[in-house]
Amino acid sequence: PTSALVPLQVYNVLFGQILRLLKLKPIGRQYFDPLSPISIPKHKVELWPGYFTSISPTKTGVVLIADVAHKILRQDNVLDYLKDMMRKSRGGNTKKMAESNLIGQIVLTRYNNRTYRIDSIDWKKSPRSTFTKRSGEELSYQQYYSVVHQKDIQDLKQPLLVHKHHKRGSGAEIIYLIPELCTMTGITDEMRKDFKVMKDISIHTRVSPANRGRELEQFAKKINTKNSTKEELSKWGTKFNDKLTSLNGIVFDPEKIYFSDCSVMTNNKGEWSQAIKKSKVIEPIKLLNWVVVYHRNNKKEMNELVNGINKVGYPIGIQMKKPFVKETNNDSAGAFVDAIYDSINDNTQMVVCLLPNKRKD
């Protein structure tokens, strides 16, 4: 019943208050510690340690489910990113490229440690543009950030980032952000492909089970011993156990995986990915009519993808013909939809779209 969920909602609201008393900042559904950053200067990256938490019912009762987490922040700002893009574009359509790469990205404003999603870029506005406060006073964004956040904006010609803040029961509130004051979050595709970068980041983010347990026990201890959180919990007559809950695990016997030409036993980790690379599937389906849609800038990646699919399919017994490839000059969702409709017929078995960016539209 719905009424049974009310205590859980109260517990989760209470725990959110506890996390804020610990000076942790919410980013998405997780909380992170901006006061204990882990800097990796050679890659211009820093990590904020934090936690994923949820209070939920289980067979053993109501428990706090928690895990360690890390938020990756880049030390460059959005303006740096825009300028770098201009240098690399070499006279191309910089605005379109910037929108393609930035819209949908999450940025952090360090003056208040809040995150915002970039919904669009207003190229007609700049820090010199003015707005009217609720008091009726008109001032520029440059003046506002100087007075309210004590931030002096250096580049007065930069465009403004647009965030649409949706409120219940009302329309979206438009929030304008200064690129120079917005820190990029996450990692770029270039960084993801760089083994050294990922290795240095993983030193901190890949936490062993033993260290993970110690961190979570220290987290629980901090909740129970810090004066402000202790006082808040005492109001509700609540306390969290300093020790992790122990559970009895189940170890399954290894499974046998059958292929058309052999069978293999999984190892103690349930791993059988190596076997599937060289063993034929039991009922392969011939892939005779398939389509690949790609943007003109990704022709090289398209050829690599098609060659890779063929290379993987042959050893496992899947016969493939060359796909019908459709190139689009526009990276919009509508252009890809039109390209798909132009390419498919009643015999089409599969459509693969190679997207040029991570935009969610």
Side-chain angles (χ1 to χ4, degrees):
T2 304
S3 58
L5 299 176
V6 173
L8 293 176
Q9 292 171 347
V10 172
Y11 273 129
N12 279 293
V13 170
L14 168 62
F15 199 72
Q17 174 64 14
I18 296 300
L19 294 172
R20 285 187 286 274
L21 289 171
L22 290 174
K23 307 298 183 186
L24 300 181
K25 294 289 180 180
I27 298 180
R29 296 185 178 182
Q30 300 170 338
Y31 281 77
F32 298 90
D33 186 358
L35 303 178
S36 305
I38 302 167
S39 181
I40 310 177
K42 66 180 177 180
H43 301 309
K44 296 183 179 179
V45 164
E46 73 177 37
L47 308 176
W48 282 8
Y51 306 94
F52 161 81
T53 63
S54 175
I55 295 178
S56 305
T58 67
K59 290 181 180 180
T60 59
V62 176
V63 298
L64 167 63
I65 299 171
D67 197 5
V68 296
H70 293 86
K71 186 66 181 176
I72 300 175
L73 301 173
R74 307 216 296 272
Q75 292 175 343
D76 57 337
N77 58 48
V78 176
L79 183 59
D80 294 331
Y81 187 75
L82 283 170
K83 288 180 177 179
D84 185 56
M85 198 178 299
M86 288 178 187
R87 285 192 294 269
K88 291 178 178 177
S89 68
R90 297 176 182 176
N93 192 334
T94 307
K95 290 183 179 180
K96 190 173 181 181
M97 191 183 298
E99 290 171 352
S100 175
N101 284 278
L102 288 175
I103 291 176
Q105 294 290 323
I106 304 297
V107 295
L108 173 87
T109 49
R110 291 185 183 270
Y111 48 80
N112 58 4
N113 282 328
R114 289 184 181 174
T115 54
Y116 302 89
R117 181 185 186 275
I118 300 175
D119 292 307
S120 63
I121 303 174
D122 194 327
W123 299 96
K124 295 180 180 179
K125 288 186 181 291
S126 74
R128 289 195 179 105
S129 300
T130 60
F131 69 98
T132 304
K133 294 175 66 178
R134 291 176 184 174
S135 62
E137 179 188 2
E138 186 175 293
L139 73 165
S140 68
Y141 291 97
Q142 179 190 13
Q143 293 169 319
Y144 172 80
Y145 280 96
S146 177
V147 173
V148 177
H149 298 294
Q150 293 76 52
K151 294 291 181 181
D152 293 325
I153 299 170
Q154 303 300 313
D155 189 333
L156 299 179
K157 294 182 179 180
Q158 61 188 297
L160 301 187
L161 308 176
V162 179
H163 168 72
K164 296 177 182 177
H165 179 60
H166 296 275
K167 294 182 178 180
R168 284 185 181 178
S170 61
E173 176 190 1
I174 302 297
I175 297 175
Y176 289 98
L177 304 167
I178 310 297
E180 186 181 314
L181 303 180
C182 294
T183 298
M184 303 288 290
T185 66
I187 54 177
T188 64
D189 290 336
E190 288 180 9
M191 294 168 70
R192 193 172 281 107
K193 293 174 184 176
D194 191 321
F195 173 76
K196 291 182 179 178
V197 174
M198 298 310 295
K199 182 181 178 183
D200 290 344
I201 290 175
S202 69
I203 290 172
H204 304 283
T205 58
R206 289 184 183 175
V207 185
S208 69
N211 288 336
R212 191 180 299 269
R214 280 192 289 270
E215 281 193 39
L216 292 172
E217 286 185 348
Q218 289 172 4
F219 175 52
K221 188 175 181 181
K222 190 187 295 183
I223 291 172
N224 287 326
T225 56
K226 187 172 180 178
N227 289 336
S228 57
T229 54
K230 217 161 84 172
E231 184 181 338
E232 186 67 22
L233 288 172
S234 67
K235 293 178 185 176
W236 296 83
T238 304
K239 186 180 179 184
F240 289 92
N241 196 331
D242 286 347
K243 298 295 179 183
L244 300 180
T245 300
S246 296
L247 301 171
N248 292 322
I250 300 173
V251 179
F252 292 100
D253 293 331
E255 291 286 346
K256 182 178 280 190
I257 308 297
Y258 293 92
F259 297 93
S260 68
D261 53 353
C262 66
S263 63
V264 297
M265 295 294 293
T266 59
N267 60 23
N268 59 359
K269 294 183 179 179
E271 172 64 41
W272 52 282
S273 61
Q274 291 301 316
I276 199 173
K277 292 179 182 178
K278 54 187 178 183
S279 306
K280 296 187 183 301
V281 297
I282 294 174
E283 293 186 11
I285 295 175
K286 294 180 181 180
L287 194 56
L288 305 178
N289 295 285
W290 60 297
V291 175
V292 178
V293 181
Y294 70 98
H295 186 265
R296 63 181 180 182
N297 292 341
N298 300 122
K299 188 169 185 177
K300 178 184 174 184
E301 290 80 3
M302 182 275 295
N303 286 323
E304 289 175 351
L305 175 65
V306 171
N307 291 335
I309 291 175
N310 277 299
K311 188 176 179 181
V312 170
Y314 178 77
I316 62 177
I318 297 178
Q319 295 181 31
M320 299 177 123
K321 282 191 174 181
K322 287 185 177 180
F324 175 80
V325 295
K326 180 69 174 179
E327 181 179 285
T328 176
N329 296 325
N330 193 321
D331 66 352
S332 69
F336 271 81
V337 171
D338 291 342
I340 291 170
Y341 278 116
D342 289 343
S343 308
I344 61 175
N345 55 48
D346 292 341
N347 297 318
T348 302
Q349 296 170 280
M350 181 173 76
V351 176
V352 178
C353 289
L354 184 59
L355 303 179
N357 53 57
K358 293 184 178 180
R359 284 209 325 257
K360 293 183 179 180
D361 62 344

